[in-house]
Amino acid sequence: MASLLIYFSRDAKADWVAPGALGGRIVSSSAGPVSERKYRVIASDLRAAIARGEYPAKSRLPGENDLMQQYQVARMTARQALAQLINEGLAVARKGSGVYVREFRPVVRAGVGRLAGRGWGSGRSIWSADIDDRELLVDQLEVRRAEPPEHVRLLLDLSDEPEVKVIARSRRYVLDGKPVLLAVSYLPAKIAAGTMMEYQDAGPGGIYARLRELGHAPARFREDLRSRMPEPEEAERLELPPGTPVMDIVRTAYTADGQVVEVNEMTADASSYVFRYDFDA
């Protein structure tokens, strides 16, 4: 008789899992539809195999026919199992080719060190702390004078007069050929208008170095992070596979006397980042 193994589901009820004749697992359960349990077991097996390195990045996962034979399940169950991995961001579907393990070489975003004045103050981009020798391209770049959104107006402590403007710097960051971040920086026009901050290339050290030259050096930053699912336009611009979340990052830059000199709203491909905050106790 085949030995029996216990599979623990999220609701802490046990499913009995028996080895199948072709190496798969046959699932029966009294806690919900059997087909639902089967696709979760298959997805769990594939997830574990990916973690063990049996399916490295860019490798093809077993197809629906393979899973049907191995686990003795219907096509819909095999399809649901693969869809589960796609929705989790672990795999991507290529039309006419199959489902592949998603490549994940994360950007380690050191939230504290990257903003230190010793970096941008010496003319380096704040991105230099994140990417090492990887290829970074900034495209879809637009710099314009505009009326600020109301929440930005409040953060920058601007009056509600229509002639009060901001310099809005909008761009997309592409790393190793993959879009990873959308960003819009808002700067008070009374500070930034007519300076290099209105140029597409703000010069060595970026806008923080230019603010320092004008006597408005950032002395403190605050970042607020929130995870969510992307809007359709964001998913298109970031070239996101289905099921991939984004991370909203709002950075506020303060001078030593507490004046807000920049609000930067960013939308990051969450699957492309590790957010690291390293600081003393």
Side-chain angles (χ1 to χ4, degrees):
M1 178 181 296
S3 61
L4 296 178
L5 304 174
I6 295 178
Y7 168 79
F8 292 97
S9 62
R10 288 184 178 178
D11 56 9
K13 297 178 181 178
D15 292 340
W16 292 98
V17 183
L22 298 175
R25 299 197 289 171
I26 303 172
V27 184
S28 63
S29 171
S30 59
V34 173
S35 61
E36 179 183 356
R37 297 296 172 187
K38 286 181 178 179
Y39 92 78
R40 289 185 178 177
V41 168
I42 297 169
S44 178
D45 283 354
L46 292 173
R47 193 183 301 112
I50 293 171
R52 290 192 301 268
E54 295 178 18
Y55 297 105
K58 298 185 179 181
S59 65
R60 186 179 182 276
L61 291 172
E64 293 176 9
N65 291 337
D66 299 322
L67 295 176
M68 289 167 60
Q69 183 180 22
Q70 181 179 354
Y71 288 89
Q72 301 179 38
V73 295
R75 183 174 300 278
M76 181 56 69
T77 302
R79 186 170 297 168
Q80 285 178 305
L82 293 171
Q84 179 79 19
L85 298 182
I86 293 171
N87 289 337
E88 292 173 5
L90 290 175
V92 293
R94 298 179 186 171
K95 188 173 182 180
S97 179
V99 177
Y100 290 77
V101 178
R102 185 174 184 181
E103 184 178 26
F104 179 55
R105 184 186 174 192
V107 181
V108 180
R109 186 180 188 275
V112 177
R114 72 194 302 269
L115 293 172
R118 63 181 179 271
W120 51 263
S122 62
R124 297 200 307 270
S125 164
I126 61 175
W127 273 82
S128 62
D130 302 338
I131 63 173
D132 298 323
D133 59 350
R134 301 171 70 178
E135 181 183 0
L136 177 68
L137 171 68
V138 181
D139 70 356
Q140 299 183 5
L141 177 59
E142 180 185 9
V143 182
R144 68 190 189 282
R145 298 188 188 189
E147 291 189 18
E150 185 59 28
H151 65 285
V152 172
R153 184 189 298 275
L154 292 173
L155 286 171
L156 291 173
D157 194 25
L158 301 176
S159 74
D160 57 4
E161 298 297 325
E163 64 271 14
V164 174
K165 305 292 184 182
V166 292
I167 305 303
R169 298 177 57 86
S170 175
R171 60 264 188 222
R172 182 178 73 162
Y173 293 88
V174 181
L175 187 63
D176 294 339
K178 168 69 176 69
V180 295
L181 182 76
L182 309 175
V184 183
S185 290
Y186 298 97
L187 302 128
K190 64 181 180 181
I191 295 175
T195 73
M196 287 189 68
M197 288 180 277
E198 277 200 281
Y199 291 27
Q200 289 192 344
D201 183 355
I207 60 174
Y208 296 149
R210 304 292 79 75
L211 286 168
R212 185 183 64 174
E213 292 165 356
L214 294 170
H216 301 283
R220 180 171 66 89
F221 297 94
R222 185 185 72 198
E223 287 194 343
D224 299 308
L225 284 73
R226 180 176 72 95
S227 181
R228 61 176 175 83
M229 297 308 295
E231 299 291 337
E233 180 186 3
E234 294 168 332
E236 180 179 358
R237 292 182 66 195
L238 288 171
E239 300 177 8
L240 299 177
T244 304
V246 293
M247 186 70 74
D248 279 340
I249 310 165
V250 179
R251 181 168 69 235
T252 309
Y254 299 84
T255 62
D257 61 2
Q259 179 188 8
V260 177
V261 289
E262 183 217 21
V263 176
N264 189 345
E265 297 186 329
M266 294 164 273
T267 302
D269 172 2
S271 69
S272 294
Y273 277 87
V274 170
F275 295 93
R276 176 174 296 166
Y277 294 88
D278 186 5
F279 45 85
D280 295 332

